[in-house]
Amino acid sequence: MQALLDTIAQLEVPTDACRLFHGRGGRHPGCEHLVLDAFPPVLVLTSFQPLDEAALQALDSALLARWAQIGQGQPLNWVFQMRQPGTKAETRLVRGSVPEPHIVTEAGLQYRAHVLRGQNHGLFLDMAAGRRWVRAHVAQHPEHRHGLKVLNLFAYTCAFSVAALDAGARQVLNMDMAQGALATGQHNHQLNGLTGASFLAHDIFSSWGKITRSGPYHLIVIDPPSYQKGSFVATKDYAKLMRRLPDLLRPGGHVLLCLNAPELGTAFLQDQMAEIAPTLQFVERIANPAAFADVDEERSLKVLLYRAPAADGLAGV
């Protein structure tokens, strides 16, 4: 655990939600099972294999020692979560407390977090660069007559929608099967004083009529789980989404294809897009946040940007 202990020894008090240590990236041999995140004012340590009590005590001591130096009298709050494939995540509050409601910030926007239940905490930190791209892209098109229309599929707690509307989008359709996640998404919009979003708790694959009637869209964000039984399996279901894109995008519109599956590289998306939706042009891969650096970027989060052909005489959006 030395690399993690070294990171803790140099820690500064975080203000935004972010990753602090990314052992999963393979750049710290022996720590591949460990990550440390900040959901201020709470730190969350996650291990993907069991940690014994001696290791937890060592980490607690290291965090306490550093917090005594930088905490300015504020209490140390930290949570430990252990995750193993095929088992329910085990979560416990090691020290301090977690505020309720627990509101975190990212780039000036507010989101509700829930670090003591489940393994998804309300905001996927590795997608911060994707949200930053959406804000910048929408803000670059204020001259559009009615503002941009955005489709957010597998919306979860609707962070992409918050980013888009804050930057000036006119309308966002958020769709996800999880009613509870969408309820948190609605709260996130309220926290930021944003209007213009709609929320549909539907199975995307049986809702193309609703999706099509609300379109076409200037921007589509697709951020599915890589494997979720009964909902989405990337290897068989991503192609179904790709087939719909040419008809859902406005001329010159953009789509972000997101995939967080270490076993599937960028070629998985690019090859299928070339075959299924050849009219859409690959633009770039959005770089992940520096904190998520990986020894093999093909195993890390993939966020690929595509653009539909522009109508004659019209600029892309």
Side-chain angles (χ1 to χ4, degrees), residues 1 4 88 112 114 127 163 169 193-194 238 276 282 297 305:
M1 297 194 305
L4 175 55
K88 186 178 180 181
R112 186 160 188 171
H114 41 81
M127 196 55 80
L194 298 171
Y238 223 126
I276 297 169
F282 174 70
E297 288 303 315
L305 176 65

Side-chain angles (χ1 to χ4, degrees), residues 2-18:
Q2 192 57 49
L4 175 55
L5 292 170
D6 290 345
T7 295
I8 292 172
Q10 301 174 42
L11 193 66
E12 298 298 332
V13 177
T15 54
D16 271 7
C18 62

Side-chain angles (χ1 to χ4, degrees), residues 33-35 44-49 51 56 78-84 88-94 114-121:
H33 56 296
L34 296 168
V35 298
V44 179
L45 174 71
T46 304
S47 178
F48 292 84
Q49 67 185 44
L51 282 187
L56 281 174
W78 79 275
V79 168
F80 172 66
Q81 183 170 91
M82 198 275 285
R83 302 186 201 172
Q84 287 185 295
K88 186 178 180 181
E90 300 177 16
T91 306
R92 60 166 150 151
L93 177 65
V94 178
H114 41 81
V115 300
L116 288 176
R117 56 183 174 87
Q119 63 184 39
N120 298 324
H121 302 316

